[in-house]
Amino acid sequence: MAKTLKIFFISDIVGESGLNLLETMFPPIREKYSPDFIIANAENSHEGRGLNRSIVKRLYDIDVDVITGGNHSFDKWKIFSYMKTDEKLLRPMNYPKGNAGYGYGIYPVKNSDLKIGVLNLQGRTFLPQIDDPFSTAEWALERIKKETDLVFVDFHAEATAEKMAFAWEFDGQVSAVVGTHTHVPTNDARIFPQGTGYLTDAGMTGPFDSVIGMDKKTSINRFRLGTPQRYKIADKDNRMCGVYLEIDPESAKCLLIEPVIFPEFNNRAN
């Protein structure tokens, strides 16, 4: 029997603060968990919106295997030509045909004969009305499963209900569904009846002295005044949010799903 497949997912990297934290703190975390495969969502990594080729290289330098995205994947147009060439850099697959980039990929797992499919999708509730993620997933899974039953889904969505509905629909068809986008880690990690590991939202990697990564005063003014405010990223209280998973390579079922927050929050007043 093949050894358990260990996956580490790094959630929503926000700006230079999140990147610097990863470059400093992820190596010992990687040593602790010894993942076989590392995935990172980086759609907010460049100035809070989008990413660039330099950031892609920095993530590969800390052993990230695949980069996923979301509704900000297309915010920096200079990355478009590169997105067409790098199959390890994903964006939500259910954007209309003609957009740059890849929505899924099948990748070798180092030091094994395993392959894993990674599928990036985006919800439509309170987000742009792009193509249906459910039928898109069906189309992609038909192709992925010709090569592997091990499938990880980054479902980038605003609505908790949409993420959960997707997980129920594809329970047993994919190994894990991990939600991103809200930047707020949820406390509902579990394994569904047919073996799919699930978490509504994995949170963010970046400054928590903020409003979901943004400068507090800027965000407060946005809500108080009801008008656009200059986009400004915060830079204090940096933490990494992620998810560690163990998958049975034979059944493709999730055996363990464990949210990771580092440093952990202090829930008791000093």
Side-chain angles (χ1 to χ4, degrees), residues 2-103:
K3 70 183 182 71
T4 301
L5 173 62
K6 300 177 181 179
I7 301 171
F8 200 98
F9 176 73
I10 302 166
S11 189
D12 276 306
I13 303 163
V14 178
E16 194 63 28
S17 298
L19 289 164
N20 287 337
L21 176 69
L22 275 181
E23 290 171 331
T24 303
M25 298 307 304
F26 186 65
I29 292 172
R30 184 183 63 216
E31 184 175 345
K32 174 184 176 181
Y33 288 95
S34 299
D36 303 301
F37 201 82
I38 302 169
I39 306 164
N41 184 295
E43 63 130 15
N44 296 123
S45 57
H46 184 212
E47 301 173 340
R49 295 174 180 244
L51 75 167
N52 60 31
R53 190 169 180 174
S54 173
I55 290 170
V56 171
K57 182 180 183 304
R58 290 169 67 180
L59 293 176
Y60 290 159
D61 285 346
I62 59 169
D63 291 339
V64 169
D65 293 292
V66 172
I67 299 169
T68 55
N71 57 303
H72 292 301
S73 289
F74 300 101
D75 281 10
K76 301 295 171 63
W77 63 267
K78 289 184 178 180
I79 193 72
F80 289 3
S81 60
Y82 180 72
M83 289 170 70
K84 297 176 182 178
T85 66
D86 187 348
E87 296 183 16
K88 298 187 296 181
L89 174 59
L90 302 181
R91 47 77 169 175
M93 185 176 176
N94 54 317
Y95 271 85
K97 185 178 180 180
N99 282 296
Y102 299 87

Side-chain angles (χ1 to χ4, degrees), residues 14-269:
V14 178
E16 194 63 28
S17 298
L19 289 164
N20 287 337
L21 176 69
L22 275 181
E23 290 171 331
T24 303
M25 298 307 304
F26 186 65
I29 292 172
R30 184 183 63 216
E31 184 175 345
K32 174 184 176 181
Y33 288 95
S34 299
D36 303 301
F37 201 82
I38 302 169
I39 306 164
N41 184 295
E43 63 130 15
N44 296 123
S45 57
H46 184 212
E47 301 173 340
R49 295 174 180 244
L51 75 167
N52 60 31
R53 190 169 180 174
S54 173
I55 290 170
V56 171
K57 182 180 183 304
R58 290 169 67 180
L59 293 176
Y60 290 159
D61 285 346
I62 59 169
D63 291 339
V64 169
D65 293 292
V66 172
I67 299 169
T68 55
N71 57 303
H72 292 301
S73 289
F74 300 101
D75 281 10
K76 301 295 171 63
W77 63 267
K78 289 184 178 180
I79 193 72
F80 289 3
S81 60
Y82 180 72
M83 289 170 70
K84 297 176 182 178
T85 66
D86 187 348
E87 296 183 16
K88 298 187 296 181
L89 174 59
L90 302 181
R91 47 77 169 175
M93 185 176 176
N94 54 317
Y95 271 85
K97 185 178 180 180
N99 282 296
Y102 299 87
Y104 79 91
I106 301 169
Y107 310 98
V109 177
K110 52 184 174 284
N111 301 319
S112 78
D113 58 357
L114 300 175
K115 293 181 180 180
I116 183 171
V118 181
L119 174 59
N120 194 183
L121 296 166
Q122 184 172 307
R124 297 189 293 181
T125 306
F126 309 122
L127 283 170
Q129 293 302 294
I130 55 178
D131 296 340
D132 169 30
F134 289 77
S135 57
T136 301
E138 291 171 342
W139 183 92
L141 288 174
E142 184 179 344
R143 286 149 181 79
I144 293 171
K145 285 181 173 289
K146 291 178 180 179
E147 296 190 47
T148 182
D149 288 322
L150 299 165
V151 184
F152 178 98
V153 181
D154 176 347
F155 196 91
H156 196 81
E158 186 78 37
T160 296
E162 190 172 12
K163 298 176 187 179
M164 194 170 292
F166 181 90
W168 279 115
E169 177 68 7
F170 292 96
D171 180 25
Q173 299 183 58
V174 300
S175 302
V177 176
V178 174
T180 55
H181 179 65
T182 71
H183 293 198
V184 179
T186 56
N187 191 30
D188 63 337
R190 56 175 163 153
I191 298 174
F192 275 32
Q194 301 304 314
T196 294
Y198 174 75
L199 181 65
T200 296
D201 203 286
M204 73 173 187
T205 298
F208 274 80
D209 184 18
S210 69
V211 176
I212 61 170
M214 298 299 107
D215 172 72
K216 297 193 297 283
K217 185 63 175 176
T218 301
S219 294
I220 291 167
N221 283 342
R222 176 186 172 198
F223 291 106
R224 286 181 65 95
L225 302 176
T227 53
Q229 304 293 314
R230 183 180 179 184
Y231 203 78
K232 184 179 180 182
I233 301 177
D235 60 4
K236 297 178 181 177
D237 191 21
N238 292 301
R239 300 172 190 265
M240 186 202 76
C241 288
V243 186
Y244 171 71
L245 306 103
E246 293 184 359
I247 310 295
D248 178 359
E250 293 192 359
S251 67
K253 292 182 178 182
C254 184
L255 303 174
L256 171 71
I257 178 165
E258 176 186 324
V260 178
I261 301 177
F262 185 84
E264 293 183 356
F265 289 107
N266 180 10
N267 297 323
R268 185 183 294 275

